[in-house]
Amino acid sequence: MNYTDKKISDKRAIAILAKNGIQVDDEEAVIILEFLYLVSKNLSKNKEEKNVGILKEKSNFRKSS
């Protein structure tokens, strides 16, 4: 996976994890970041789908004449 808009570098991820007592190397940090970006991407899709559902419900709402 290649995310062009990554906001966290691999080195930064290693530092953040180390502060919390988790020791990882560069390869493991890349895997963790890819997983988190994938989860974030899917969460965004779910929120968009939910919003579309709400809009559809409202658009079919009984209109007064």
Side-chain angles (χ1 to χ4, degrees), residues 4-61:
T4 56
D5 57 346
K6 286 174 78 172
K7 306 240 184 223
I8 304 288
S9 70
D10 304 339
K11 300 292 183 196
R12 177 104 170 108
I14 292 170
I16 292 169
L17 291 168
K19 282 183 183 178
N20 291 290
I22 302 169
Q23 300 299 319
V24 296
D25 60 19
D26 290 341
E27 187 176 319
E28 292 170 327
V30 169
I31 292 170
I32 292 168
L33 283 173
E34 286 178 355
F35 172 73
L36 292 174
Y37 278 110
L38 183 62
V39 169
S40 173
K41 181 179 175 182
N42 286 330
L43 181 62
S44 296
K45 281 185 182 178
N46 287 341
K47 284 185 178 181
E48 287 174 10
E49 289 173 2
K50 193 175 189 179
N51 287 340
V52 168
I54 291 171
L55 292 175
K56 283 183 180 178
E57 288 175 11
K58 299 222 182 234
S59 67
N60 293 329
F61 189 74

